Amino acid sequence: MNIDDDDADVVYCNNVSGEKTFVLPSTLDPFTKLIHLISLKLSGNYLKILPESIGFLTQLQVFEARKNKLLYIPDSFCRLKLLKVLKLDQNQLSELPENLYQCESLERVGLESNEFEYFPSCLVQCPSLENIGLKSNAIR
């Protein structure tokens, strides 16, 4: 399969071997097996989607998925009440889940170089938010 294949939902690139596949390895999904994880860094891969099971990572405090091809963030992401840092720079995002404000501990959000045309209104309701990066979007 070609890495640019539009029919592919998820692409995983093993940064050690360089092997590219179109599904997350079984050690990463379902995320139900990683319930004690506090930091997850998936930057520099070819991910287009994240599985709904990411919502099971209820202890997660840092999530980085920069330099991917993410089209959206699943609604289950809103269950991550302890999340403090969310870095989603350099993807293809144009919106965030409406209930993202439920991530009550969220302090820093990186959304630079995406496809946002409007300021994500859900961020206004995040009670702990201190820093938002939105440069290099098409915000009107």
Side-chain angles (χ1 to χ4, degrees):
M1 227 179 236
N2 185 338
I3 202 76
D4 296 321
D5 187 349
D6 288 334
D7 294 331
D9 288 334
V10 178
V11 178
Y12 170 77
C13 177
N14 182 327
N15 288 325
V16 176
S17 70
E19 176 186 350
K20 295 175 182 154
T21 61
F22 290 90
V23 294
L24 284 172
S26 59
T27 55
L28 290 179
D29 191 21
F31 284 114
T32 54
K33 296 178 184 177
L34 302 170
I35 59 173
H36 300 292
L37 198 65
I38 59 170
S39 178
L40 179 59
K41 298 180 180 182
L42 296 172
S43 296
N45 291 289
Y46 293 93
L47 296 173
K48 284 189 176 182
I49 64 167
L50 297 169
E52 285 289 332
S53 60
I54 200 162
F56 288 103
L57 302 177
T58 57
Q59 300 302 305
L60 200 64
Q61 295 178 28
V62 176
F63 181 78
E64 292 184 18
R66 298 168 46 242
K67 297 184 181 179
N68 281 292
K69 301 201 179 284
L70 292 175
L71 301 169
Y72 68 93
I73 302 302
D75 289 335
S76 64
F77 213 85
C78 300
R79 290 189 226 140
L80 307 180
K81 307 281 187 210
L82 301 179
L83 189 67
K84 292 181 180 185
V85 177
L86 177 60
K87 294 185 179 180
L88 297 170
D89 305 298
Q90 297 177 320
N91 279 287
Q92 297 174 0
L93 299 170
S94 60
E95 61 184 15
L96 295 174
E98 289 181 26
N99 294 333
L100 192 65
Y101 66 87
Q102 293 175 351
C103 296
E104 300 164 351
S105 301
L106 197 57
E107 296 174 358
R108 295 186 338 208
V109 177
L111 299 170
E112 297 178 4
S113 300
N114 275 287
E115 298 179 9
F116 289 95
E117 292 183 9
Y118 302 97
F119 183 87
S121 60
C122 60
L123 296 178
V124 174
Q125 299 173 348
C126 292
S128 302
L129 199 56
E130 297 174 0
N131 186 291
I132 303 170
L134 272 166
K135 73 179 183 181
S136 298
N137 279 283
I139 295 178
R140 305 173 195 190

